Amino acid sequence: MEPLLLDRLLLIGELFQKDMARAFDGTGLTAARVHLLWVLQHAGPSTQQSLSALCEVTPRNITGLVDALEQSGHVRRTPHPTDRRAVLVELTDDAAATMRGMQADHTQLNAALLEAVAPADRAAVERGVAAIAAHLEKLVAEA
């Protein structure tokens, strides 16, 4: 029997997880920590409250992630410029360089994956994947 689309999507997710685990083996980085670094790369210095919302995790979870990333030298906490009660979390220079490399790797992998699809089909594949992702987000939100 031919695998369902869902079976193939699950396989893709599993392969991405294996690739991430391999890439971060021995670094002390986890998927959750990398996600937080990715958010900081795109959002810039942020309060823990905003990071909690952006990462869709509890404030307690963000505190643990930031603590671990601060200990490993990936982020630092700095005083908020306008709110004396708040601090900003920001990437260290080394982490910013790491994230720029990760962004470049991300772009290269995207191009490599699209090369597996015939050029005439690429736009349709991208539209289809975007539609599936949007619909799945809706289904999860409604559940």
Side-chain angles (χ1 to χ4, degrees):
M1 174 160 71
E2 186 75 16
L4 297 173
L5 172 65
L6 178 60
D7 296 326
R8 290 189 173 124
L9 292 172
L10 290 170
L11 174 61
I12 289 168
E14 183 179 321
L15 291 170
F16 277 129
Q17 287 182 343
K18 284 180 182 179
D19 188 52
M20 279 184 52
R22 178 203 48 79
F24 302 129
D25 187 37
T27 66
L29 293 174
T30 63
R33 291 176 187 175
V34 171
H35 182 245
L36 178 55
L37 294 174
W38 192 260
V39 166
L40 281 170
Q41 169 75 4
H42 294 283
S46 304
T47 64
Q48 288 187 193
Q49 182 178 10
S50 66
L51 290 172
S52 176
L54 290 168
C55 293
E56 298 180 346
V57 298
T58 65
R60 183 176 183 169
N61 194 348
I62 279 295
T63 298
L65 290 169
V66 171
D67 287 348
L69 288 169
E70 187 174 43
Q71 289 173 354
S72 66
H74 289 91
V75 301
R76 65 179 156 257
R77 289 176 168 109
T78 59
H80 193 286
T82 59
D83 183 349
R84 293 184 317 185
R85 299 167 295 156
V87 296
L88 293 177
V89 178
E90 61 186 20
L91 295 173
T92 61
D93 293 341
D94 287 345
T98 297
M99 295 312 295
R100 285 191 299 273
M102 196 177 292
Q103 181 69 54
D105 292 345
H106 194 78
T107 301
Q108 288 174 343
L109 179 56
N110 186 72
L113 292 173
L114 281 175
E115 286 177 7
V117 178
D121 296 336
R122 290 177 187 164
V125 168
E126 289 194 60
R127 284 191 311 273
V129 170
I132 290 169
H135 190 64
L136 183 56
E137 282 181 330
K138 180 183 171 194
L139 292 174
V140 168
E142 291 173 352

